[in-house]
């Protein structure tokens, strides 16, 4: 299965979501490749440190994505592709090859309105492919006291993209994790709340990917 984390805006939480998803799938016992499709290569460097068992590849050329992504998809149980912030052709190639698109979006009216633009290529891909890839908006960097306003719900509904029930809260630990070469559940008690929410998001989005406890790999722990 090929999962792309896509939003043509930068700084919305794509790499954070992609690395955590790849790490979670790996810990459920699956073979996982993280395809870093952003020219800055931040997610592949981070994933190599945090979850060495996840294979990483850098793919930024659209033709290379078209040609290699399906092969990578056959070689691993899951390919998680971290999309670029701006390159339209790279995004298009990813969305034409993906089975599922997760679209992180900051929880603000301005950002939700901008989603129409940011998901243009996604809609084109769905149009060409008869509705594929299935896509889901994930609200990211949500203020702790935040309530989804009716305006935002209406804007999301107008896009005809479903919204994941679980959102990611704005928490310092997410911003600290790459510097520690870790994912949030490797950071001890400081990371617990973030770990709970991010794992419940993945269980919600990919319920079939959860495996029996005995099949899970032991988790790396960095505490301190
Ligand atoms: N839920 C969150 N809470 C706090 N900071 C976050 C959260 N998600 C991401 N960040 C931080 O916001 C910045 C942008 O996130 P990133 O995942 O790199 O976005 P993108 O890949 O879309 O550019 C990074 O510094 C990251 O650590
Ligand atoms: Mg990124």
């Amino acid at each position: 299965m090929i999962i792309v984390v896509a939003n043509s805006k930068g700084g919305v939480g794509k790499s954070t979501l992609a690395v955590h998803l790849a790490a979670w799938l790996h810990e459920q016992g699956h073979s996982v490749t993280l395809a870093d499709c952003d020219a800055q290569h931040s997610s592949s460097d981070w994933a190599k440190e945090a979850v060495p068992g996840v294979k990483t590849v850098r793919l930024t050329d659209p033709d290379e994505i078209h040609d290699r992504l399906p092969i990578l998809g056959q070689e691993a149980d899951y390919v998680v592709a971290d999309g670029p912030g701006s390159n339209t052709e790279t995004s298009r190639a990813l969305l034409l090859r993906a089975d599922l698109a997760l679209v992180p979006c900051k929880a603000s009216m301005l950002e939700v309105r901008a989603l129409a633009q940011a998901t243009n290529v996604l809609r084109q891909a769905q149009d060409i492919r008869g509705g594929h890839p299935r896509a889901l908006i994930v609200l990211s960097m949500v203020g702790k006291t935040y309530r989804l306003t009716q305006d935002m719900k209406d804007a999301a509904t107008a896009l005809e993209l479903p919204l994941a029930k679980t959102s990611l809260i704005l928490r310092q630990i997410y911003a600290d994790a790459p510097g520690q070469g870790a994912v949030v559940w490797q950071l001890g008690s400081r990371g617990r709340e973030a770990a709970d929410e991010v794992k419940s998001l993945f269980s919600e989005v990919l319920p079939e990917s959860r495996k029996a406890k005995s099949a899970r790999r032991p988790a790396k722990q960095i505490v301190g």
Side-chain angles (χ1 to χ4, degrees):
M1 182 177 193
I2 300 172
I3 304 168
V4 58
V5 183
N7 180 331
S8 64
K9 279 193 85 169
V12 295
K14 289 185 294 294
S15 297
T16 304
L17 189 61
V19 170
H20 282 85
L21 177 57
W24 181 80
L25 287 167
H26 173 69
E27 286 184 12
Q28 306 309 303
H30 305 291
S31 63
V32 184
T33 299
L34 179 84
D36 185 351
C37 305
D38 189 52
Q40 293 181 1
H41 302 320
S42 49
S43 57
S44 46
D45 290 341
W46 179 9
K48 268 184 207 149
E49 272 196 81
V51 265
V54 167
K55 180 180 162 187
T56 56
V57 292
R58 292 174 176 176
L59 279 183
T60 47
D61 178 64
D63 285 324
E64 216 187 349
I65 289 171
H66 269 299
D67 295 342
R68 284 193 56 201
L69 211 56
I71 299 167
L72 292 172
Q74 282 170 2
E75 288 169 354
D77 298 329
Y78 290 90
V79 177
V80 178
D82 180 24
S86 56
N87 191 314
T88 304
E89 290 315 312
T90 302
S91 298
R92 193 187 314 281
L94 287 169
L95 290 162
L96 287 172
R97 287 301 192 189
D99 303 301
L100 171 68
L102 298 180
V103 183
C105 177
K106 285 192 194 176
S108 85
M109 195 59 209
L110 285 177
E111 296 277 339
V112 173
R113 283 208 187 113
L115 258 188
Q117 180 78 34
T119 52
N120 220 358
V121 182
L122 168 64
R123 253 183 306 280
Q124 290 170 353
Q126 289 180 330
D127 196 31
I128 293 167
R129 298 177 59 200
H132 295 289
R134 177 167 79 90
L136 202 60
I137 300 172
V138 177
L139 290 181
S140 66
M141 303 184 221
V142 177
K144 272 198 181 120
T145 57
Y146 163 88
R147 294 281 172 277
L148 197 66
T149 64
Q150 193 56 45
D151 279 355
M152 276 187 56
K153 283 186 191 160
D154 292 347
T157 308
L159 289 170
E160 292 180 21
L161 289 174
L163 201 63
K165 285 193 204 78
T166 316
S167 306
L168 301 181
I169 306 290
L170 182 75
R171 300 179 196 273
Q172 185 60 38
I173 193 86
Y174 286 112
D176 292 345
Q180 306 257 347
V183 290
V184 292
W185 57 84
Q186 295 166 343
L187 293 170
S189 56
R190 276 182 67 220
R192 187 141 309 135
E193 288 171 321
D196 288 348
E197 80 185 355
V198 80
K199 288 179 179 179
S200 58
L201 172 68
F202 299 147
S203 302
E204 174 197 336
V205 174
L206 294 161
E208 70 283 5
S209 308
R210 294 191 64 169
K211 276 212 175 155
K213 256 202 162 70
S214 58
R216 288 189 196 154
R217 295 166 203 271
K220 168 178 150 183
Q221 281 288 329
I222 304 171
V223 183

